[in-house]
Amino acid sequence: MAEISASLVKELREKTGAGMMDCKKALAANDADIEAAIDWLRKKGLAAAAKKAGRVAAEGLVAVVSNGTVGALVEVNAETDFVARNEQFQAFVKSVATLALASGDDVAVLKGTKVPSGKTLEEELTSLVATVGEHMDFRRAKTLSVSQGVVATYMHSAVTPGLGKIGILVGLESSGDVTKLAEVGKQIAMHVAAANPQFLSVDSVDSAALERERSVLSEQAAASGKPPAVIEKMVEGRIRKYYEEVVLLEQLFVIDGETKISKVVENAAKAVGAPVKLTGFVRFALGEGIEKEQKDFAAEVAAQLGH
């Protein structure tokens, strides 16, 4: 029997998009002949992902799940919004979120984790691609936990409970009433969905982002021709405005439009019967950061007609 090297398995995997174990089996069954192994995989429907691997997957679903003091968010992408309504795809995304809740948010580790079918999660996804007929990608995962209290969740534009386009986790630490704490957490999560904060607190603002903002504001203020002391005050005023736009605790609560989130958290202590601390949040919006292909529909139709 010919030796099956790791580089050969890698090459076959890159050419077919099939899972690592399936590539090993294919090479073993075909005496390490890579072309024969490709045909073997195609006949079994395991190489169906290969033709689709280069296509942009910016649709799909975000899933959110929580269990008391821990929550998880995952994003699994597909090529079209139609797939988000596919029950098999929905079930897969839910299973990924449940796995992340139990095993953490390292995507590479999760992809190699065995699922009830006996396959790895990545192999399960490859099989789903072959069945559904679209390129898919388990893109990211994030967990959030608190020592005591709740991790509240919210899903915007939900297609089914826990599945949709914008998912939120909010961590609230408190020894108070958990039910009331969860209500406050959901309201703040809804705010995060709408306001899209970038940072939790002023102290957590990225220093590079702050310096870029300060530089831009300084140049804008300098153009006014005012004295340096006045310009400095103008910049500091605009920096405060910047914090109100990007820092969760500094933002005005979207539900009433006048209370800072920091004050909402402080006031929640009265309702839950103990001090409350907002420890973190996570926001996943479907497809954010993915460069989508822009198509000229008229040109596409003309090409199909041979013009």
Side-chain angles (χ1 to χ4, degrees):
M1 180 178 175
E3 182 183 354
I4 300 171
S5 65
S7 60
L8 198 61
V9 173
K10 181 175 181 289
E11 182 181 351
L12 180 59
R13 191 177 182 190
E14 288 174 349
K15 286 187 174 183
T16 64
M20 186 178 295
M21 292 307 297
D22 288 322
C23 288
K24 286 183 178 179
K25 290 176 185 176
L27 289 165
N30 293 279
D31 201 28
D33 183 324
I34 198 161
E35 294 302 322
I38 291 172
D39 291 343
W40 187 90
L41 288 167
R42 289 182 63 196
K43 289 173 184 176
K44 293 184 176 294
L46 296 172
K51 294 180 181 179
K52 314 182 191 304
R55 305 211 296 244
V56 176
E59 298 295 339
L61 287 169
V62 170
V64 64
V65 63
S66 67
N67 183 12
T69 58
V70 63
L73 268 175
V74 302
E75 179 182 356
V76 181
N77 300 115
E79 293 177 59
T80 66
D81 183 57
F82 178 77
V83 170
R85 299 189 291 274
N86 180 289
E87 291 184 358
Q88 279 183 285
F89 182 71
Q90 291 178 358
F92 176 78
V93 180
K94 283 182 179 178
S95 71
V96 174
T98 301
L99 188 61
L101 187 70
S103 304
D105 52 20
D106 187 317
V107 172
V109 171
L110 290 171
K111 283 183 175 181
T113 302
K114 288 288 184 72
V115 294
S117 66
K119 299 178 180 179
T120 64
L121 187 67
E122 186 170 23
E123 290 168 342
E124 193 77 11
L125 180 59
T126 300
S127 296
L128 186 61
V129 169
T131 302
V132 176
E134 282 195 13
H135 172 46
M136 298 175 190
D137 178 39
F138 170 24
R139 182 185 177 204
R140 55 180 174 164
K142 187 67 178 176
T143 58
L144 184 66
S145 63
V146 294
S147 56
Q148 63 175 342
V150 299
V151 172
T153 68
Y154 173 66
M155 179 59 68
H156 186 67
S157 298
V159 294
T160 66
L163 293 174
K165 293 191 174 182
I166 302 178
I168 312 295
L169 297 173
V170 168
L172 292 177
E173 283 196 349
S174 178
S175 59
D177 186 296
V178 174
T179 301
K180 292 180 179 177
L181 194 64
E183 291 173 2
V184 175
K186 184 175 181 180
Q187 288 189 326
I188 294 175
M190 291 172 72
H191 167 92
V192 171
N196 191 18
Q198 303 301 303
F199 309 99
L200 174 63
S201 64
V202 169
D203 290 341
S204 67
V205 174
D206 179 69
S207 58
L210 181 59
E211 284 309 307
R212 283 197 304 272
E213 189 68 19
R214 189 181 293 277
S215 176
V216 170
L217 294 175
S218 295
E219 287 192 26
Q220 289 175 346
S224 69
K226 291 182 170 35
V230 175
I231 289 174
E232 186 177 344
K233 288 182 180 179
M234 289 172 64
V235 171
E236 290 309 312
R238 291 176 183 178
I239 287 293
R240 286 195 295 272
K241 183 66 176 176
Y242 170 72
Y243 286 148
E244 291 170 4
E245 292 173 354
V246 302
V247 174
L248 176 55
L249 289 170
E250 300 299 313
Q251 290 179 332
L252 292 180
F253 195 23
V254 294
I255 291 179
D256 67 15
E258 58 185 37
T259 310
K260 275 191 176 183
I261 293 296
S262 57
K263 191 64 177 178
V264 171
V265 176
E266 184 182 328
N267 293 341
K270 300 172 185 176
V272 305
V276 179
K277 182 180 180 182
L278 177 53
T279 60
F281 72 94
V282 185
R283 182 185 189 273
F284 277 8
L286 180 66
E288 61 188 347
I290 298 176
E291 187 175 342
K292 299 182 183 181
E293 183 181 359
Q294 301 298 318
K295 293 184 179 180
D296 184 332
F297 184 66
E300 186 177 329
V301 172
Q304 290 179 0
L305 292 174
H307 298 312

